[in-house]
Amino acid sequence: THPSLKWFTEDKYAMFIHWGLYSQMAGVWNGKTYYGIGEWIMHMAEIPVQEYKDYAKNFNPDQFDAVGLVKLAKAAGMKTIVITAKHHEGFAMFDSQVSDFTITKATPYDRDLMKELADACQAEGMRLGFYYSQNQDWTEPYGGNYKGERPKGYTPDDFNIYFEQKVMPQVAELLTNYGPIALIWFDTPGNMPKEYSARLVDLVQGLQPDCLINSRIGGGYGDYVSLGDMQIPIVRPKVDAWETVDTTNDSWSYAWYDQNWKSPKAICERLVRVVARGGSYMLNVGPKGDGSLPEQAVESLTKSGEWIRAHGEA
Ligand code: JFZ
């Protein structure tokens, strides 16, 4: 077992953040609401690739407050923050040298917020992890589930081009430019051949041996198991280390219509149910496009954190 599983199993509670261009859309495209999960709007509304990319001009998160976010996670009793560095949309929320579809190059905003978050985490003693969609990339011609028309002569083996020119260098950037990274959270490997998962494991271990990898890297790899979304087991899973990922409401990313907020009591109950069976609980918040958090999410986290502190060490 990986030595970092010691902190992982001790800490038990983390913040997940889904944030990207889809947060600015908030569930709406061309005046129409697409109900479902906010970060899947490109897929649900069948937004053409070029239009989606151009939309980055509307992303201007001037209300993002890295220090405030880290302090909120702390007040909630959380020990780690895991944020979407690149979701299926393909947009890098960090300053990447290998793509132009990044927060620093494609938007009016030019700060690297992942760097600001990394610095704030260091200052506050919070661990930082990155979500990275390694297989699906909807705006990359050779990426998994590309939403445009594939280039002429395309074959499935061309996935290798995307993987070598974007995935490997971007994951390397994330593990090189942002200080110590507690974990990389991969997702939806689908039918990606196992060799790609193996290459990512080698890359991560070579750059940051202490960094954990979740099971959604695919190919049977990973240091701990991420259960299905929002799945709280009723019997203790027969694995060494596992987590449940859950949300404060229903969607992962911010969507205007999703007002089904979990109460502080519901959050505490779900946390206890997971922790009592030996797991770790990662609870998601979805900032708005401007970077601010919905006030109901702030309130549930603050109030549930008060309960946690009153009943034990946090
Ligand atoms: C994935 C993403 O597609 C989604 O947008 C979000 O980021 C979520 C955390 O992860 O969706 C999944 C992946 C795996 C399962 C369910 C939804 N699963 O194993 O049940």
Side-chain angles (χ1 to χ4, degrees), residues 16 18 37 39-40 87-88 131 185 187-188 216 228-229 252:
F16 206 4
H18 274 67
I37 36 178
E39 72 279 7
W40 276 72
H87 203 268
H88 310 332
Y131 172 112
W185 212 89
D187 203 6
T188 62
R216 291 194 193 174
D229 294 7
W252 296 97

Side-chain angles (χ1 to χ4, degrees), residues 2-4 175 181-182 201-213 223:
H2 196 292
S4 296
L175 289 169
I181 299 305
V201 170
D202 286 347
L203 179 71
V204 174
Q205 287 179 349
L207 290 170
Q208 292 208 28
D210 291 339
C211 182
L212 290 172
I213 297 172
D223 303 305

Side-chain angles (χ1 to χ4, degrees), residues 140-155:
E140 208 57 66
Y142 297 116
N145 290 343
Y146 176 53
K147 299 296 183 191
E149 214 175 301
R150 297 285 193 183
K152 276 214 166 56
Y154 165 83
T155 77

Side-chain angles (χ1 to χ4, degrees), residues 15 36 42 47 65 127 137 186 194 223 253 255 268 273 279 293:
M15 176 184 276
M42 180 178 185
I47 305 172
D65 171 12
R127 296 181 213 281
D137 192 312
F186 293 107
K194 182 179 166 139
D223 303 305
S253 74
C268 290
R273 282 158 63 197
L293 279 180

